[in-house]
Amino acid sequence: MELLEEKYNHSAERLDKPSQYLIKRAVRRQNFDNLQKSLHSKTVYVGNLSHFTTEEQIHELFSKCGSIDRIIMGLDRNKLTPCGFCFVVYKLEEGSLNAMKFLQKTILDGQSLSIDLDPGFREGRQFGRGIYGGQASQEASSENGQRGGFRGRGGFRSRGRGFRGGR
Amino acid sequence: MDSYNPGKRSRDDFESDNYAAPQQQFEDENAESKRQHVDPTQELINNVCKDIRRLGENPNIANQVADVSYISNPIVAEFEKIDNLRNAILSTIYAVIIEQPQKINALSNLILICNSKNFVVAKYVIEYLHAKAQTLLDSIAPKKEEADEDVDEEDAGVFNNLKSILKFLATLAPIIEGYSIINIFKQFLKLAIDLQNETPDNRNGTAQEIFYNSLIAVPYLFSNDFSQELIDQVNELVALAKDFKIVESATNTLLQPFDSKLDNYKLPYEPVKMIDLIYNAILTLQGEEKDWVNLKHKLFLDFSELLASIIEEALQNNPISNALVKHQLPQLSLPTIAQVQEYKPVGSIDKLWKENSRVLFQVYNSTEFETVPRIDSYFGLFFKDLSFDILTNLSFNKNEASIQLSILDLFFSKDLFAPPGSSIDSLTMIHEDNKSGENVPPLSTWKIEDIAVESILTMIFQLPVTLYREIYYYTVLISCCRESPESIAPVFGRAIRYFYNNLETLDYELKLRFLDWMTTQISNFEFSWKWDEWVADSQKFKHLRHHPKKNFIKNLIAKEVRLSNKNRIKDSFVAVNPETSEMVNLEEFYQYLNISLFEDETKFILDYDTALYNQEGTREILEKIHLEKREQLAAKPAVFAQEEIFFNFSLPELPLHGVASKVYDFVVAHWKPNTDFDELCKEILEATKEFPDINGIKFMINLIFQTYAYIGSRSIYSVVSILSRDVNKLKYLSGSPIEYTEQEPKFEEQEISPEEITDRQNWIIESIFRVWIHQPQEVFLILEYLIEFGILKPENLVLKTLDLENNLILENVSCMESMNRVLFNSSIATDKGDSFKKLILLLFNAITRNLNAISGELQEDKNEIIKITKDIEDPEALEVSKRIDQEWLFYEYKGLLKSYFRRYIKNSEIDYLSDIREIFDTIENVPAKDDMLQWLDEVSP
C-alpha cells in the first residue's frame, strides 16, 4: 500500500494524512478503498465536540481553513440532539487538508477537537452508534468510571481505541 | 571547553514539560506497530533518517558531536550497499536543509565526519545537492510540455530553496576543492547585478531576492573554516556585492503596517526594507579590518575542537586514505537574464519578493534594551530569515514548526540569548548590571521567545497577503503557548498591548487580522485577558463608534461570542481587585454582548415592521407582540439564536396573516413547481390590494424571504438547502436572469426596469437584516449564499454596507469579513469578464463619495489636513463626540480604500489605473487626494 510507505521527503510527519484509526482499520479489514478516498476527500470528521456546540460556532472556526459547503451535525439517534461530533464538508479538497493540518487539537467551547479525514458523508452516518443513541466512544467513556474521569471529559487519550460513533 | 549549557532546553525537555506532543505520540505508536512487521533494513533506514531529522537538538554539544559520530557509522558502512538507505538519507538531508535550515550546521558536522570515514558519502551528498540546485534552476525556464505540471503550493520558491542549499554547501567549504563554492556565490551575485541592470529604473524583485539570499548565506562559509585564504576570498565576494544597485519606488506607503493618518499620529517606528539593510549588515559583520571578528564564535556553535579530534582519528583509521578528501563542485548552469525576467514564481517567498518590496515588521522594539537583535544587524536578519523559512516550509506540521521555533536558540552560540523564559524584569536587571559594568562581558538580553513570536507575527501581518491562511500562523502561536505557557503568555501579552496601543495607526486590514488572531488565541485559553486594562478606554470613547480602540473592543467581543456564547464570554469579564484579592465583574463590557446589527434592535424591528404594514394601529399591536415575546424569552434559562427571531407574519392580530400562513406552508413543504409559486405570488399581491397603503411587492418580498430564513433558522445549512431548492423562484422575485432546466415550467416574462430590480434586491437585503438582526453573521452568510446562487447582485450588497447612515462595512466585523469574501469570490469567479472590474470601480466610487460627504460635513478648509481630535475632555459631550466620530470615519474609509487598493489594484492583471486616477481626482480634500494619488505612483511601473 503506497499510502503506508514512508517516502523520506520531509523532515517531519505530515499532519494532513488519515489517522492511525483509519489506517489500522483499513489494514485490519484489508480494505483500502475508504483510506484512498479519504486522501482526496473534501470532508473531515470532527470529534470531541461539546454537546452544546452549535453549527454556527463550528462554521466560524472551520471556515478559516476554506469555504465550507455544509456541516452535518452528529445527532443522538434517539433524541436527535447533537452528540459530540460532526462532518465538515468543504468546497475544495484544500479545505479539509488545511483543517487536518491547522485545527487538530484546537479548543472549541473548552473541548480539544479531534479531526480526521473522512472518506465522505453518507446519509445515516450523522447518527450516533452508541447503545443509547449517542456517540459510542463517549458513552463508553462515561460508563467506565475510570476513563470518564480522566481529564474530566472523554478526552483525546481515549481516541482511536474506543469505538467511535458515526463511522 | 564548557560545552553544556544547562540553561537550554532540548526538544525532549520541551515535550516532557507538558503532555506528550501529539506528534511524538503519533510517532511512537507508529514505531510500535511497525516494529512487528518491519524488516531490519527498513528499520535501519527509519532510525537513521529519524536521527538525521533530529540533528542538533541536543543542548550538550560534546554529546551532540559524539552522537553524530555514532550515527555516521551505519551510514558510512551501508551507504554504498543499500540503495534504499542511500536514497532515503539523501532525501532526508535535502528535506532538513529546506524545511529546518537551523539544523544546517549540525547536518554539516555529520557530512564532515562521514567524509573522514568514507569520502563517498560526502561526494554523493555534494553531487546530489548540486543536481538539486541545477534542477531548481532549470525549472525557471520550463519546457512547454512541463508547464502544466502540478505545482506545490507549499513551496517557498526556487530561489528561496537555492538559498538554503547554498548555506549548506557553504558550511562544507573545508571539503570542497579549491573553495569552488565561492564561484557559485559569485555566479548568483553577478546574476542579481546583471538582472537589475537590465532595467535600471525599475525594481526587479527577483534580482533583489537573489542578492539578499546570496549575502545572507555568505557568513555560513565561515562555519567550519576561518583560514586567511577563505577570508580573502569572501572579502572579494563582498566587494563584488557593492555593484548591486538598489532600485525602489520613492515611497512605499501601501506596504507599511502603520499609517500616520496624514501625520495626525507619529508612527511607532520607521519601517525599513530588507533590501536596504543586508549589504551594510554584512559590512558591519566583516568589520573595518575585514577579519570577520564580529562573527567568529559569536553566531554559529564552535564545533571545531570536537570535530577535529574525531576527524583526525577517523582519518588515521581510514583504510583507503589517511588524507582529507576534497570534492569537486562545478559551477551551476544559470538561466539567461531573459528567462529569469520571465520567471513567474509559484513559491510563496519568491513571489513575495518579486511583487513587493519587503518591509520588516517590528513588535518588540519598545523596551529600553534589546530583546531581539537589531533589525539592521546581520544577526537580526539572520534569525528572521531562518524563522520565515521554518514557518513557510514546515506548514504541514504546525507542532513541529512551533517546537523548532521555540528551541531555535539551541542551534546557535550559547551566549547569544538570555535563558529561555526570562522575564522582562529579570532582563531589566541584566541590563542594569550590564550598564553598571557588573557583567563583564555584558550578558545578552535577547529573548528567543520574542524572536519566534515576532517572526510569526510578521507572517500574520504580511502585506499585501499572508503566505498561508492566517489560521496556520495562529495555531503555531497556540502550539508555542501550549508548550510553555508561563514563558510565552507574557510575550503575547506584550504583543497584544503593543498592537492595541497603536490601533490608531495600524493599517486597516491588519486591524482585522489582529482581531482575528486575538479571538482565536484567547478562545484557546479560556478567553482570559486582562480586560480591566481597557475599561478606561471603553468609558472614554463611550459615544464614539468609529474610534479604532472602541471599534476593536466591540468587534473582538462580537467575534468571541460567535466562537462561543454570551454567557461564557460574560464570565470572562473579570479582574482581581489588588487590595482585597477578590474577583470583580467588569460590567463595562456587558454592553458589547449585544452583537445586534443595529444599535437599538427593538426600535429597528418596530420601525421596520410598522413601515412595512403602513397601517394605522399596527405599531401598537407590534409593540404588544414584541413585549410579550421579550418577556417569554427573559423567563427562559437558555435561549437559542433561532428562538430570538421575531417572525410575526402569521400572527392572527396582524393583517394578511392568512396569506402569510400559506407562504409558510409552501416553504415548509417539499419542492413545488414554479407554477404553484407563481400562483402564490399572485395571491399575495391580490391580498395586499385590500390595503392600499402597503407596498405590495415589498411586502411580498419580505414575507417570502423572511419565511425562508425563519424556516431554515435551525441551522445555516437548513436555510441554504431550502434556498438552493428554490433558486429560480427566488430569482423570479429578485428580477435576476433565470436558467431553466429542461422540463421546468417557465415563469411569465416580467417587465421590470433596472431601478425596480435594484429596489427589489435592496428589499431582499433589508428583509434578511430584519429577520436575523440579532445575529449579524447569519445575515451575511445568507446574503452571501443569495449572491452565490445568483439571486442577488454583489453590487447591491456592497452599496448597502457602505451607506453612510450605518457604515456597516466599518462598524460590524461580520459585515467587514463578509464583504471581503464577497469581493474575493467575485475576483475568482470564472465567468467574471468585465463584471469584476465594474464591481471594483463601483466600490471605489462609493467610498470616494463617502469621503467627500464626510469631509463636506466636517466643513474643513479643503486644502487643510483633516485633524483628528485626540483630547476628549468630556466623554459625555455628544456634539463633540459626533464630530470626532466623523473625523475617524473619514480616516477609516480612507484606510479601507487603501486595503482594497492594495488587494485588488496593486499587482492586478486587470488595468485599472486610469479609471482609479479619475475616481481619486474627484476627492475634495486635497491632502487626502494627494496621498491617494501617491498610491498610484507606487504601483505604476
Side-chain angles (χ1 to χ4, degrees), chain B residues 866-880:
Chain B
I866 294 178
K867 286 265 182 305
I868 300 175
T869 312
K870 291 171 204 163
D871 296 323
I872 301 175
E873 282 164 15
D874 176 13
E876 298 292 341
L878 284 175
E879 274 309 303
V880 183

Side-chain angles (χ1 to χ4, degrees), chain B residues 165-196:
Chain B
I165 298 179
L166 205 56
K167 285 179 178 177
F168 179 69
L169 290 174
T171 63
L172 297 183
I175 59 163
I176 289 175
E177 195 67 64
Y179 290 129
S180 47
I181 176 67
I182 299 277
N183 296 335
I184 294 190
F185 273 88
K186 279 187 188 158
Q187 278 191 295
F188 279 116
L189 276 179
K190 279 189 188 137
L191 176 66
I193 294 167
D194 293 346
L195 192 57
Q196 181 58 71

Side-chain angles (χ1 to χ4, degrees), chain A residues 94-161:
Chain A
E94 185 212 353
S96 54
L97 295 180
N98 282 343
M100 284 299 289
K101 282 189 286 187
F102 307 149
L103 293 181
Q104 192 72 266
K105 305 272 170 283
T106 298
I107 309 275
L108 184 63
D109 253 352
Q111 295 281 97
S112 169
L113 302 181
S114 71
I115 305 171
D116 204 345
L117 287 171
D118 193 89
F121 173 75
R122 284 187 319 277
E123 192 54 39
R125 290 187 60 208
Q126 70 268 48
F127 299 114
R129 298 195 309 191
I131 306 165
Y132 306 110
Q135 198 180 13
S137 62
Q138 289 200 356
E139 283 185 3
S141 59
S142 61
E143 267 189 0
N144 180 333
Q146 261 183 331
R147 246 209 215 162
F150 189 64
R151 292 175 67 89
R153 48 188 188 239
F156 72 94
R157 303 234 167 176
S158 63
R159 181 174 171 244
R161 294 184 193 102

